[in-house]
Each structure stands twice: as C-alpha cells, then as structure tokens.
Amino acid sequence: MRRRTGLTHAAVAAALLIGSWAAAGTLPAAAQEAPASAAADTSAPASPGLLDAMQRDFGLTRAEAEDRLAAESRATALAPKARKTAGSAYGGSWFDARSGKLTVAVTPDADASAVRTLRESGAAVRTVAHTERQLNTAKSRLDRLDAPAGVASWAVDPAANAVVVNVVDDRRADNDVRAFVREARTAGPVTVRTVTDAPSTFAAGTVGGDPYYTGNVRCSIGFSVHGGFVTAGHCGGAGQQVRGWDGSYIGNFQGSSFPDNDYAWVNVGSGWWTVPVVLGWGTVSDQLVRGSNEAPIGASICRSGSTTHWHCGNVLAKNETVNYSQGAVHQMTKTSVCAEPGDSGGSFISGDQAQGVTSGGWGNCSGGGETWFQPVNEILNRYGLTLHTA
C-alpha cells in the first residue's frame, strides 16, 4: 500500500488486505512446506472476529465454535500422520463436524496394528473398497477427457470412496454430457451428482474503491508474499500492470496461469508494502496469517473478497477439476462458501492458516452456492515464493 497521510479509517482498513507489516521478530513461512512454527496449535485463542463469523454462518454458540476450531486443528495435525500410518491401504480422510474427529478410510487389507494406532491417535476408521491411489488414477483418466459445458467438475470424494462427477441439472440429458458420463464410468469407481449451475470465474468490471485493477477488471488480493502478493491467474496475464484501490500503480503480474491452473503473483513496489493480514471488512477483525497448513475436507473455512467481503463455509472436496467455459482448471479445492464477481483472487483462510485464492464457482451470496480455490502452497512452490506470516 502506498504511504499516504490523511487516509480515512475505511481506506486504511481496505489497504490492509494488500500488504504485510514487517514486524520485528516474525519469520517467513517456507514456500515448499508449512513451517514447523506454523503447526496447528490447539491452545492458541481464536480470533473474536473468526468466532463471530462461525457463529453467524454455522449457527453455533461461541463455545461450540471454539470447540470446532480446536477439533479441526487436531484433525489438521493428524491428517498427514494418518496417511503415513495407513500406508498402501489409505483411502483418504476428512473431518467429521458431528463427531469432531478426523475420519480415515482404509481398505480391508489394512494392517490391524495400523488401524489400532489410528484409533488410539483419536481418528475414526472406516473400511472402504478403493485406495486413494486407485481413486486418483481414475480421476487422472477423466482429466484426459474433453468435458462438455454441462459437466461442471469432478473430484475424488473420500467419504463416497469414488470419483464424483458434478453435472449441471438442466444439462444432464444432453447427449454430450451422457457420453462423457458413460466414458467416465469406464475409468473406475465413478458416481454422478447434479449441481444447480455451471461454474464461472469471479472477475468483474471496474468499480471504484476496490482492492486492485488490471485493465478494466477488478479482482481481489489473496495473500502477501515476500515481494508481492498471490492472486488468481484469470485476473491478468504476465506483464500486465496492476493498480491499487486508490488508482496508483502497485506493480505487474510476474507470472500467471489460466486455464489448466488459476494462479498468479504480482510484485509490489512504488511506495506500497505488504502485511500478513486478511481483511475482515468490518464484519470480523482483520485476520493475521501464521502459516499455510492444509485444512482437511469437512473443516470450516472463510473467504475475504472485495465484493461480498467475509463469508464462511466448509471444505467439500480437494483436487477437483473444474470445467470453466475458458477450459478446465485442475487441483482445485471446492467449498460451500459463496462468492460473486470481483471476489476472484481473494483469500481463503482456515483459522490463521492460508488455504488458497478464490477462482470461481456458481451461485451468489444471496441464494448460496459453491466456490473453488487454488491451493496457496501450490502457488508458492510454482513461483518459489515465501508466504508472509505473523
């Protein structure tokens, strides 16, 4: 953000999404993996703003919201250990909000001692027919198919122990959709579900007073990295100039990929700087970013964007392929959080852990919908960036 005097309170608040204070004593997170210092800490107090948002969006009491965040933090820490313990019998895992536990799927040939270890660690164990490796192989076969417009997306669903193909409800009888589904079923365990609408990206035309612009497009900043910020690739191509909320020059897109991926990063200069903060827009307190540990399926997650501001929901699926009109985008995470045009590129955060940047979806924040994000660790690794953390 540019250094200016006489900014209004609202302008200062809006600027916080862009940058990161170089606070003494803070250490950057590594791009390759979440740092040890950012490991889930179930004893850390939750932000009052985050608790307020969870109470509003999930219908919880404050105590219930605190309990859920603590349970999700334990599940996040347990998930990579569970994968290693289950070994070749691993069928995936997800957070069950009702039980407050991580559920781990294993095939019938799982080692009895491994199953016992999983249960002793606090996980619930479910026996399934297919391993995660088998499901991922089936999904990879679908990724090589040409999907028609009536097919919205597909992903491995560990709870269903299948690859779920999502078809737009009023297009399911189309001949090309039916042909895609028939071919998909030959790839492995596939099930079909319907969705209300086809996904689209959330860029928007220029509207004054929002976080950043490129050309006549308005998008939202994702997360601060050393030297800039990450955002969505469909918001601009490499070399394009970026202007801030006040119309002043910020920097340029240094790298961008869309479709196939939907990520980009922008350098920051010309009097702007960055802070490890996600803007709460006055709905909640601005959120500090402390790392990028990946939340499991079923965990709560919140999104900040320049159009609809702050909203929360659940992680629904990972590694989903989304079929936009511009082409398929891979390795996306699906959520039940709503979004609208202009929210593209904005922050997805779970607790204080960065998760990804908003790509697209369907629906809106009046009637609801689903939104996908590109995982932040993939972006950091792709461009060799380092996340700014508090």
Side-chain angles (χ1 to χ4, degrees):
M1 184 182 76
R2 296 186 67 188
R3 299 175 184 272
R4 292 187 172 213
T5 58
L7 291 175
T8 65
H9 176 76
V12 172
L16 284 176
L17 180 60
I18 293 173
S20 66
W21 297 106
T26 61
L27 295 174
Q32 287 72 25
E33 59 184 10
S37 60
D41 179 6
T42 58
S43 65
S47 157
L50 179 59
L51 291 172
D52 289 343
M54 291 186 69
Q55 290 177 78
R56 180 198 68 199
D57 291 344
F58 291 108
L60 304 175
T61 66
R62 193 173 189 84
E64 288 171 340
E66 289 175 340
D67 288 345
R68 173 158 178 173
L69 283 174
E72 288 178 354
S73 184
R74 290 191 295 270
T76 297
L78 177 58
K81 301 174 185 176
R83 178 192 294 270
K84 184 175 181 180
T85 300
S88 61
Y90 182 71
S93 66
W94 62 95
F95 176 74
D96 183 348
R98 289 172 297 182
S99 67
K101 292 184 176 183
L102 184 76
T103 300
V104 181
V106 297
T107 51
D109 59 342
D111 185 79
S113 64
V115 172
R116 184 166 57 252
T117 298
L118 288 169
R119 289 184 171 133
E120 289 173 349
S121 68
V125 179
R126 179 186 295 182
T127 302
V128 296
H130 308 289
T131 66
E132 182 185 59
R133 183 175 181 179
Q134 291 170 327
L135 296 175
N136 285 338
T137 297
K139 179 187 175 292
S140 294
R141 291 173 182 148
L142 268 65
D143 285 343
R144 292 192 287 270
L145 303 179
D146 290 327
V151 177
S153 65
W154 54 93
V156 170
D157 182 343
N161 196 228
V163 179
V164 174
V165 176
N166 296 293
V167 174
V168 180
D169 189 42
D170 61 4
R171 303 289 298 275
R172 58 184 176 177
D174 291 2
N175 289 334
D176 55 356
V177 171
R178 292 164 67 91
F180 179 89
V181 170
R182 281 196 302 271
E183 191 167 2
R185 291 190 189 279
T186 68
V190 166
T191 187
V192 177
R193 295 174 184 166
T194 57
V195 294
T196 304
D197 205 351
S200 61
T201 57
F202 287 126
T206 299
V207 177
D210 289 291
Y212 84 88
Y213 307 90
T214 177
N216 65 345
V217 171
R218 168 170 59 85
C219 281
S220 302
I221 290 166
F223 294 96
S224 293
V225 297
H226 287 278
F229 63 83
V230 295
T231 187
H234 71 264
C235 291
Q240 283 192 275
Q241 288 192 359
V242 172
R243 292 172 286 119
W245 58 268
D246 62 352
S248 64
Y249 170 74
I250 295 178
N252 296 73
F253 279 85
Q254 299 299 301
S256 179
S257 178
F258 180 80
D260 187 30
N261 305 293
D262 194 4
Y263 51 58
W265 82 280
V266 175
N267 69 317
V268 168
S270 303
W272 292 73
W273 70 93
T274 55
V275 294
V277 168
V278 172
L279 186 64
W281 293 98
T283 302
V284 301
S285 302
D286 295 340
Q287 304 294 300
L288 289 175
V289 178
R290 300 189 185 277
S292 56
N293 289 317
E294 185 179 331
I297 291 172
S300 64
I301 194 167
C302 298
R303 181 193 55 73
S304 181
S306 62
T307 298
T308 58
H309 299 171
W310 185 269
H311 288 274
C312 298
N314 296 309
V315 177
L316 299 179
K318 296 185 180 184
N319 192 26
E320 184 149 9
T321 301
V322 181
N323 191 34
Y324 293 129
S325 60
Q326 300 94 330
V329 177
H330 303 92
Q331 296 179 312
M332 303 272 270
T333 298
K334 181 166 68 176
T335 77
S336 62
V337 187
C338 67
E340 295 179 11
D343 289 327
S344 280
S347 321
F348 267 93
I349 189 167
S350 182
D352 56 10
Q353 300 295 304
Q355 298 298 307
V357 299
T358 303
S359 174
W362 62 269
N364 55 51
C365 289
S366 298
E370 293 176 337
T371 302
W372 287 267
F373 67 79
Q374 190 91 64
V376 69
N377 287 330
E378 180 184 356
I379 309 172
L380 300 177
N381 289 331
R382 169 64 180 82
Y383 294 118
L385 301 170
T386 302
L387 185 70
H388 260 186
T389 57

